[in-house]
Amino acid sequence: MSSGSLYRSGGSFEPADGAESLPEIAFLAAAGVDSSVLAYAARRARELGVGADEVLIAEGLVEEALYYSALARRLNCPYVERATSLAPGFDYRAALRASVARADPALEEFDWLMAPRGAQVRALLALGAQGGRRIAICAPKIFSALVRAKGRRALSDDASFALSRADSRLSANAPQLRWSNLFSVVLCLAVIAGLSALSPALLAVASPLLSILFLGGIYIRLCAFAASLKPQRGARPSLSERALPVYSIIVPMYREASVAAQLLAALKAIDYPAAKLDVKIVLEHDDLETAEALRAAAPPAYVEIVVAPPGAPRTKPRALNVALPLARGRLLAIFDAEDRPEPGQLRLAAAAFAAAGPRLACLQARLAIDNGHEGWLPYFFAIGYAALFDVLNPGLAALGLPMPLGGTSNHFRTDILRRVVGWDAWNVTEDADLGLRFARFGYLVGAIEATTYEDAPTELNNWMGQRSRWMKGWMQTLAVFLRTPRRHYREIGAVQTFAALCAMSSLLAGPLFGPLYGLRLAQDALSGELLAPQTFEQFTVASFSLVIALFGTLAFILPPLLGMKRRGMKANPHLLLAPVYFALLSLASWLALWEWTRKPFVWNKTAHLPRPQIPQAADAPQTGAAAKNLPASASAIKARVLSTP
């Protein structure tokens, strides 16, 4: 074969007789792969800055197993697709990073097991017979499964306990936190007794204490609201396809077979080069129904199904920790199984990270409820999301203050995420915990104007389980934060500590005590004590109450109103049920407090139903073969590597 370009500058395709310039696919021509397919892969590889083998496999033009079996034949070495004995002293993390594992010399006929990509393939082909030690070739997904099987115990242990081993004070699993549960219950009962006027002395203490908590939350909320009113910076320049980094996506699933096809459709709709996508769907070992549904829905080649090893606790953050060592991307995103992200979200996040400084660890996309019209519960849910993700979080990000992340559509710098030891497997709102931990280690969290659509629970039992889990997780997060307040003060400063403490405290104090506090305020107004206090205690209570009533109303109303405007939501008669909704929030909070003392690490699973379609941006650009005018002969078939003698 001659050494020349695989395509002309005008874009027309030539036969692949210049394939030596891309040795990672050159041998496929002799194996029978259509020359136009190789030419297309060569051009896309140069445009993206990746290996042509990665283009062929990711875009489904050549099956992974067939490519690597042909590569093994080209290298004249074994091709492995079975259980393999790896050497003692095995380090699963190092093997996954290098895509190389040492075989057990006593049990195998080769020294090294490899799953090379791109430059690694070229290096192997260049070595040829000079490679020295004997190797065996393995497809990356098979390699990943073999490595995870060999390192199952270590992987399971790290997923559950890596954070608590690194610093026990950072994990909700710390034994000392059990005492805080009992203390919290006693404190809450004392506050209730005070607000109920069972004791004048308790009332004189409880009312100002709650008022201070409320005022801190009100102040932070109003500051975030004001910051969100400022004009947003202009759109960042988009990155060229070559400059886009490899992007990992982790999707934890459990008993969600009904949305498997919808999830894969949403992933396929993402506007990002397939050769730079690395998707891990994490399943529990006994969730056979979801595994079967995913296989039936035909996941694209860049999707890997990862089965978490058995272990406790069975939580979403533990599943995320299982997949984190497998992630190849420089950036990493988390989506839930029912999510429907806007197609351009990854490109927008990549551009934002590229324009930001190295301290930016995470970007939170906006979450929006897509079924707010289906009942009064999802309607209020949609208002809450609009206030939080369209107003408050962008405002907190603009101020550089800590924010409790949402549970999905978080985009991370993978190296920083690993540096802070991933997620706390024992915290049932791992997102809120991680947002504060980033602040503790000096990192920033930002927000991007890209939306992920979700559905809110429509049934009360489902809604109550989800809300109580959130509240329980916020209690865990606050307890962890309060374990070392002086350390926080030294590490992140007074402003950040104050903001984090106020944000988390008000999230809990409002639902727990807000209804009773409001009733007490109404009683004092009717009795005359609010406007004409007779004693110093009454004057103290009245002063705090009036300030809370004025500014609390503003902080309570303004963010939802602005969020509704930004989301195009209209007021409807469901608003008359607001007192009922807030009473349910309070009930969920008290249920969470009870669960925290009895079963702190139990994950209340939220059931999801599939939606009829995925929101698409009207002007979303096409990617992949369709955009690059792949020849009809190549796009109409899956090229198969033919067996050779």
Side-chain angles (χ1 to χ4, degrees):
M1 299 181 184
S2 62
S3 60
S5 174
L6 295 181
Y7 57 95
R8 296 190 181 95
S9 59
S12 60
F13 291 89
E14 294 181 350
D17 57 8
E20 287 90 346
S21 60
L22 285 173
E24 68 268 24
I25 62 170
F27 59 89
L28 295 178
V33 177
D34 189 281
S35 61
S36 62
V37 175
L38 298 182
Y40 165 74
R43 178 165 62 84
R44 279 298 280 162
R46 292 190 173 101
E47 290 173 351
L48 297 174
V50 299
D53 57 312
E54 296 174 281
V55 172
L56 285 173
I57 294 170
E59 297 195 8
L61 301 174
V62 170
E63 291 178 353
E64 184 180 77
L66 294 176
Y67 173 83
Y68 283 94
S69 63
L71 175 62
R73 288 195 297 272
R74 172 66 178 80
L75 294 170
N76 195 27
C77 66
Y79 172 68
V80 173
E81 51 183 347
R82 56 172 174 80
T84 302
S85 297
L86 301 180
F90 173 77
D91 182 349
Y92 77 92
R93 290 182 183 272
L96 290 169
R97 283 195 300 269
S99 298
V100 178
R102 186 173 180 82
D104 189 338
L107 299 173
E108 299 294 346
E109 297 180 352
F110 48 87
D111 295 331
W112 299 96
L113 181 65
M114 304 185 68
R117 288 184 176 90
Q120 292 175 310
V121 175
R122 290 193 291 273
L124 282 176
L125 292 168
L127 287 173
Q130 306 301 318
R133 294 177 181 269
R134 294 172 301 170
I135 64 169
I137 295 298
C138 185
K141 288 178 183 176
I142 296 175
F143 180 84
S144 172
L146 293 174
V147 169
R148 285 185 282 113
K150 174 67 175 179
R152 181 176 63 254
R153 290 185 179 179
L155 177 60
S156 176
D157 186 65
D158 286 345
S160 299
F161 301 108
L163 181 62
S164 56
R165 282 201 305 265
D167 189 340
S168 62
R169 293 169 295 181
L170 296 178
S171 175
N173 191 36
Q176 301 91 326
L177 292 181
R178 302 297 179 88
W179 291 102
S180 65
N181 299 4
L182 180 60
F183 173 77
S184 299
V185 172
V186 172
L187 177 62
C188 289
L189 293 176
V191 171
I192 289 177
L195 291 178
S196 302
L198 297 180
S199 166
L202 280 177
L203 176 61
V205 174
S207 184
L209 176 63
L210 273 183
S211 298
I212 292 172
L213 286 178
F214 289 154
L215 281 173
I218 289 168
Y219 177 72
I220 296 299
R221 194 175 173 94
L222 288 176
C223 287
F225 171 79
S228 73
L229 294 175
K230 296 180 180 178
Q232 300 295 315
R233 61 186 301 177
R236 298 177 179 87
S238 59
L239 299 179
S240 68
E241 292 205 323
R242 188 177 185 84
L244 289 173
V246 174
Y247 221 120
S248 291
I249 298 174
I250 303 178
V251 185
M253 296 184 74
Y254 182 55
R255 295 181 180 175
E256 293 178 296
S258 62
V259 296
Q262 172 185 290
L263 168 66
L264 293 179
L267 293 174
K268 292 175 184 177
I270 290 176
D271 174 28
Y272 208 81
K276 292 188 173 184
L277 281 176
D278 169 45
V279 179
K280 313 296 182 188
I281 299 178
V282 190
L283 305 180
E284 295 295 335
H285 69 281
D286 58 353
D287 191 3
L288 303 180
E289 185 180 0
T290 303
E292 181 59 33
L294 286 169
R295 284 191 289 268
Y302 50 80
V303 172
E304 179 181 3
I305 298 174
V306 178
V307 178
R314 184 173 288 197
T315 58
K316 174 183 173 181
R318 182 179 182 273
L320 295 175
N321 285 336
V322 166
L324 182 57
L326 283 64
R328 296 189 297 110
R330 184 151 49 91
L331 301 179
L332 183 150
I334 305 300
F335 292 117
D336 285 339
E338 74 279 7
D339 285 353
R340 301 177 297 282
E342 287 181 336
Q345 187 172 137
L346 268 58
R347 287 178 180 266
L348 186 62
F353 276 119
R359 290 180 58 212
L360 181 65
C362 175
L363 290 167
Q364 172 69 65
R366 300 184 178 185
L367 305 182
I369 296 301
D370 202 34
N371 67 331
H373 60 282
E374 294 183 359
W376 67 280
L377 276 176
Y379 178 73
F380 282 107
F381 211 115
I383 293 175
Y385 263 38
L388 178 60
F389 292 104
D390 289 286
V391 180
L392 297 177
N393 274 359
L396 291 172
L399 295 171
L401 297 178
M403 73 169 74
L405 299 173
T408 178
S409 301
N410 315 131
H411 299 259
F412 302 99
R413 294 190 197 270
T414 310
D415 60 337
I416 295 179
L417 184 58
R418 288 173 173 153
R419 205 173 300 156
V420 301
V421 204
W423 294 267
D424 183 4
W426 302 88
N427 191 312
V428 297
T429 53
E430 77 295 336
D431 39 15
D433 170 77
L434 188 56
L436 295 190
R437 198 174 344 133
F438 278 139
R440 178 172 187 167
F441 285 97
Y443 296 113
L444 299 175
V445 175
I448 53 173
E449 294 186 52
T451 299
T452 295
Y453 295 91
E454 289 190 337
D455 289 340
T458 57
E459 297 180 356
L460 183 58
N461 287 343
N462 207 18
W463 179 93
M464 187 66 70
Q466 185 183 66
R467 277 290 175 172
S468 63
R469 173 172 59 81
W470 289 359
M471 291 293 179
K472 180 171 65 175
W474 292 341
M475 293 172 189
Q476 292 175 318
T477 300
L478 182 60
V480 169
F481 187 85
L482 290 176
R483 292 191 70 195
T484 54
R486 286 186 297 177
R487 180 175 170 181
H488 283 88
Y489 177 81
R490 291 195 305 269
E491 291 176 344
I492 64 177
V495 174
Q496 296 269 10
T497 302
F498 172 78
L501 181 61
C502 289
M504 293 306 302
S505 298
S506 61
L507 280 174
L508 296 170
L512 283 170
F513 307 116
L516 191 56
Y517 188 92
L519 290 174
R520 180 71 201 185
L521 182 63
Q523 178 183 335
D524 289 347
L526 292 174
S527 67
E529 292 182 5
L530 184 63
L531 299 178
Q534 301 298 316
T535 65
F536 178 76
E537 289 81 1
Q538 292 178 355
F539 176 79
T540 302
V541 171
S543 299
F544 278 110
S545 297
L546 287 172
V547 173
I548 295 295
L550 175 60
F551 292 100
T553 301
L554 293 175
F556 184 75
I557 292 177
L558 292 179
L561 286 178
L562 181 57
M564 291 174 69
K565 179 181 178 182
R566 289 177 174 174
R567 278 290 152 199
M569 295 179 63
K570 297 180 180 180
N572 71 32
H574 289 326
L575 289 173
L576 297 175
L577 295 174
V580 178
Y581 187 78
F582 296 129
L584 289 174
L585 283 177
S586 184
L587 179 60
S589 302
W590 285 101
L591 178 61
L593 184 62
W594 172 251
E595 286 186 354
W596 189 31
T597 64
R598 307 294 297 177
K599 41 185 181 180
F601 310 122
V602 171
W603 186 279
N604 296 327
K605 174 73 180 127
T606 306
H608 298 286
L609 297 175
R611 301 297 297 169
Q613 62 183 13
I614 301 168
Q616 295 278 344
D619 57 349
Q622 297 293 317
T623 57
K628 301 302 174 182
N629 300 314
L630 183 60
S633 59
S635 60
I637 64 170
K638 298 285 188 180
R640 298 293 188 261
V641 178
L642 305 179
S643 58
T644 56

